[in-house]
Amino acid sequence: MGHDTRPRRFDSVSPAPADSAVIPRHVAIIMDGNGRWARARHLPRTEGHRQGVHATRTAVRFCAARGVQALTLFAFSSENWKRPSAEVNTLMSLFVSALEKELPELVQNNIRLRFIGEREAFSDKLKHRIHEAEAATRDNTGMELVIAVSYGGRWDITAAVRCLAVEVAEGRLDPASISVETLDRQLSTAGLPDPDLFIRTGGERRLSNFLLWQLAYTELYFCDVLWPDFDEDALQAAFEFFAGRERRFGRTGEQVSHERA
Ligand code: FPP
């Protein structure tokens, strides 16, 4: 499907299951394994990233068609700047071209875009594209697509704490009134529900400095599929895993069953 780039409605993907209660409101994905996918085919790593864009498109269409409220994708971590400069440059160009190409379909499907991460190091072109894409989708009311680029969970928490410290220093905030919600409001994900379902492809079982604060109660799903191969069936398996989880948020299983009855 990924090669047809004409804008179209997401209802071209298979329909949502009947029970919307088991659909995660917010899905967060670490898209891992592009490099290994390419290496296995004797291709340059950058070709894996190019193929990864198709899987990204599939994930966006799938989640939007199922009524997911927010989808957060980890596209580039604070630590990814340490990769060889040719790979970093390819990834940055890929973000620019993907934004340009995908924007009409996102607009048509009422999707709102938000970028999170440290933008300072981006080229002017990428900064401009991000600004343009966020502005063009600002009034959309459908799924929020959050792209984490140059993002780190520790950076996010540190920046939020710094903002609160300034408010305290200026006398606008009483330290005794600081709550979980106060910090939530300063994070780059402010206004979004915490992720219900976290997916990491590519076989590693770690969070790699993704949404550290926001993932406190998230169901964690790890799979060995490499990101370019992560298709609708693989997404469906992750959603089925989520549907089978009992979410207790610190309570006992008996309490949860009692509340459901
Ligand atoms: C991790 O695979 C993947 C990345 C660092 C880049 C992810 C980017 C895309 C999928 C491009 C599309 C994204 C958008 C938002 C348009 P890896 O290189 O770490 O793979 P490896 O672990 O096999 O080396």
Side-chain angles (χ1 to χ4, degrees), residues 21 23 38 41 55 82 90 102 128 146 177 187 189 245 252 259:
I23 296 295
R41 288 161 182 76
K82 295 178 200 151
T90 300
E102 308 298 335
H128 175 71
V146 184
S177 74
L187 292 169
T189 48
R245 301 299 303 159
T252 66
E259 278 165 28

Side-chain angles (χ1 to χ4, degrees):
M1 69 181 288
H3 298 281
D4 179 1
T5 53
R6 284 169 301 166
R8 54 164 141 171
R9 293 232 162 247
F10 289 142
D11 46 19
S12 60
V13 300
S14 46
D19 187 358
S20 62
V22 293
I23 296 295
R25 284 189 306 167
H26 184 173
V27 178
I29 307 183
I30 296 187
M31 311 180 285
D32 198 11
N34 293 346
R36 278 164 287 159
W37 182 94
R39 220 166 33 230
R41 288 161 182 76
H42 308 288
L43 295 168
R45 290 177 55 79
T46 47
E47 193 50 39
H49 297 315
R50 285 204 179 83
Q51 285 300 320
V53 176
H54 299 309
T56 304
R57 194 183 295 122
T58 301
V60 172
R61 287 177 179 166
F62 184 96
C63 289
R66 273 161 183 73
V68 167
Q69 285 175 30
L71 170 63
T72 300
L73 301 172
F74 205 6
F76 192 88
S77 73
S78 310
E79 292 74 29
N80 285 152
W81 291 109
K82 295 178 200 151
R83 292 192 173 197
S85 58
E87 182 170 340
V88 170
N89 291 341
T90 300
L91 277 167
M92 293 298 147
S93 315
L94 215 54
F95 297 145
V96 171
S97 63
L99 265 179
E100 214 171 87
K101 212 155 78 185
E102 308 298 335
L103 191 58
E105 178 169 336
L106 297 175
V107 170
Q108 192 186 359
N109 285 280
N110 197 23
I111 291 187
R112 189 181 156 105
L113 262 174
R114 179 193 310 206
F115 281 80
I116 59 173
E118 282 183 279
R119 294 187 193 187
E120 288 70 29
F122 297 162
S123 68
D124 287 346
K125 197 169 174 182
L126 182 55
K127 282 185 201 156
H128 175 71
R129 286 274 177 271
I130 289 176
H131 177 75
E132 192 180 60
E134 285 181 333
T137 61
R138 182 157 293 138
D139 297 326
N140 288 353
T141 54
M143 186 176 82
E144 184 143 351
L145 175 59
V146 184
I147 313 275
V149 187
S150 190
Y151 177 87
R154 288 179 174 176
W155 162 81
D156 204 358
I157 296 168
T158 307
V161 168
R162 196 178 299 122
C163 285
L164 296 184
V166 169
E167 288 185 30
V168 168
E170 290 175 353
R172 290 183 284 123
L173 179 66
D174 173 6
S177 74
I178 295 176
S179 63
V180 166
E181 290 73 28
T182 319
L183 203 114
D184 259 338
R185 280 196 290 274
Q186 294 298 337
L187 292 169
S188 58
T189 48
L192 298 173
D194 282 341
D196 298 303
L197 172 63
F198 162 92
I199 299 171
R200 181 174 188 149
T201 63
E204 305 290 0
R205 279 147 177 78
R206 54 177 172 253
L207 299 182
S208 297
N209 199 14
F210 196 22
L211 306 160
L212 297 179
W213 170 278
Q214 298 87 335
L215 293 173
Y217 283 101
T218 305
E219 299 296 333
L220 306 179
Y221 180 81
F222 298 95
C223 70
D224 293 335
V225 180
L226 303 175
W227 180 250
D229 293 328
F230 198 67
D231 57 11
E232 274 198 48
D233 289 345
L235 279 156
Q236 184 58 34
F239 274 49
E240 279 167 18
F241 157 84
F242 177 76
R245 301 299 303 159
E246 177 187 72
R247 308 195 72 204
R248 294 201 289 270
F249 298 100
R251 291 165 300 168
T252 66
E254 288 73 25
Q255 285 176 301
V256 173
S257 321
H258 184 71
E259 278 165 28
R260 275 213 204 102

